[in-house]
Every structure is written in C-alpha cells, then in structure tokens.
Amino acid sequence: MILVTVMYPAGEAFDTDYYLKTHMPLVKDRWGPLGLKSAQAIKGVAKPDGSAPDYQMTALLTFGSMDDFKAAGKAHGKEIFADIPNFTKAQAVVQINDVVF
C-alpha cells in the first residue's frame, strides 16, 4: 500500500470550497475504480508554536500499490491536474510514501 501526499504551500490563494466540492470528488470518481482506497483533505491550521502552517491544504491519497497509482495517473492524470488552476496557483509538493505501520 502506498500513500501519496499532495501538499499545497501556504501563501497563494486557495478556493477551499471548490477543492472540497469539485476537485476531491473528481479525484475519487476517476481514481476510485483504479485502485484509490481512500482520499482525505487536511487543512493546515498552525505550527506548534502558533505560527502559520507551511502547507494550507494536504491531500492524503491511499492506493493499493504503486502500479495502481501509475495506472490511475495514466488514465486520468491530465484531467485531474488540469483542474488545479481552478482552485489555486500554488505549486503542489507531491510525495509517494510506503505505508509501513
């Protein structure tokens, strides 16, 4: 199982309503049948010292395998990535993680 984190840096405008009501349902709809096991949106609130978070929004996408993630990206990645400018100009930081516990 892998966890893909998609982190949107703070500082750019971000349309949370569009992201939650349009973009994340699009991700689930397109990638769900291709191995997406779960999708969560996590809104950054603050660092432990109370200062602003480094990331304003993070998506946690769990796939059954790296092959599932690659197949989903190949099938619908262009459509999903083309939707990003509809909610932010921030350049997302994407990381692929092995779930070990």
Side-chain angles (χ1 to χ4, degrees):
M1 187 168 304
I2 64 161
L3 175 69
V4 179
T5 54
V6 183
M7 302 167 285
Y8 294 94
E12 288 283 347
F14 194 95
D15 185 341
T16 301
D17 191 56
Y18 182 93
Y19 181 75
L20 296 176
K21 293 181 180 176
T22 303
H23 185 74
M24 288 302 287
L26 174 68
V27 169
K28 286 181 173 183
D29 181 61
R30 297 299 190 271
W31 286 354
L34 299 172
L36 177 68
K37 303 293 184 194
S38 67
Q40 292 179 290
I42 310 298
K43 184 176 181 179
V45 177
K47 293 181 184 177
D49 67 2
S51 62
D54 292 328
Y55 298 97
Q56 58 188 319
M57 188 69 70
T58 300
L60 305 175
L61 309 173
T62 305
F63 285 86
S65 69
M66 180 61 99
D67 288 340
D68 288 348
F69 173 62
K70 288 179 180 179
K74 184 175 181 180
H76 299 289
K78 286 183 183 180
E79 178 185 13
I80 290 170
F81 296 125
D83 190 48
I84 293 172
N86 291 321
F87 59 87
T88 190
K89 293 180 182 174
Q91 180 65 46
V93 175
V94 179
Q95 180 171 299
I96 298 169
N97 311 277
D98 279 326
V99 177
V100 296
F101 181 73

